[in-house]
Amino acid sequence: MTTTLITGANKGLGFETARRLVEAGHTVYVGSRDAERGRRAAERLGAHMIHIDVTDEESVAAAAKTVEARGRLDVLINNAGVEGTVVGAGETTVDTLRPLFETNVYGPVRVTHAFLPLLRRSPAPVVVNVSSGLASLALVSAPDTPTHAYPGVAYPASKTALNMITVQYAKAFPDIRINAVEPGFTATDLNGHRGTQTVEEGAEIIVRMAQVGPDGPTGGYVDASGPLPW
């Protein structure tokens, strides 16, 4: 049975992805920074709760030990992310960048590094990094795209960094399918539920890429319609 860990899975896209993968027969670890919320979510899903704060080294190391004690890991979905207060270029400082990079960039690196030994025991390991259309330099710079109007610096920059991390990890570990996905503008807590699509729609590409086989794509940046421009 495929064993999957999803960070930030007690709500939103993470929760819906967990629901779909449990339904598909995966053994799912619902990763949650808030242990009680994670426990309630896991009970609803028929999954396992694992306490993990992607910004904390000790928390991530403890989570890896917990999973190791129960067996291997086949799929890692780096879903946990934050947007924070949207601040334009003129007001952006290192202090406005730091918390988003801590969760959206350092978090996936921290988690992936900790779970790499377990993933490499799997016959078909997969990593899915949840990115954003705002990570695309081509789309954000094009005046005729919805992403062009987004004024913030920190969130797009953090997701662009995540895309590069995806490519470099995919090159370094050709035995692991590692891809970045754009769920689309989904109504979640991250955007105050302003998104124009449901979590069911947003989770579609995450679930799809979580189930790629050993001959599936790697090092890609995709949404539900296919590859995206970098």
Coordinates of all heavy atoms in Angstrom, one line a residue, residues 44 158 181:
R44 N -11.7 12.3 10.7 CA -12.7 12.5 9.7 C -12.3 11.7 8.4 O -13.2 11.2 7.7 CB -12.9 14.0 9.4 CG -13.6 14.8 10.4 CD -13.7 16.2 10.1 NE -14.3 16.5 8.8 CZ -14.3 17.6 8.1 NH1 -13.6 18.6 8.6 NH2 -14.9 17.8 7.0
S158 N 8.8 33.5 -3.3 CA 9.0 32.2 -2.5 C 8.6 31.0 -3.4 O 9.2 30.0 -3.4 CB 8.2 32.2 -1.2 OG 6.8 32.1 -1.5
V181 N 3.5 21.8 -8.8 CA 2.1 21.9 -9.3 C 1.5 23.3 -9.0 O 1.7 23.8 -7.9 CB 1.2 20.8 -8.9 CG1 1.8 19.4 -9.3 CG2 0.9 20.8 -7.4

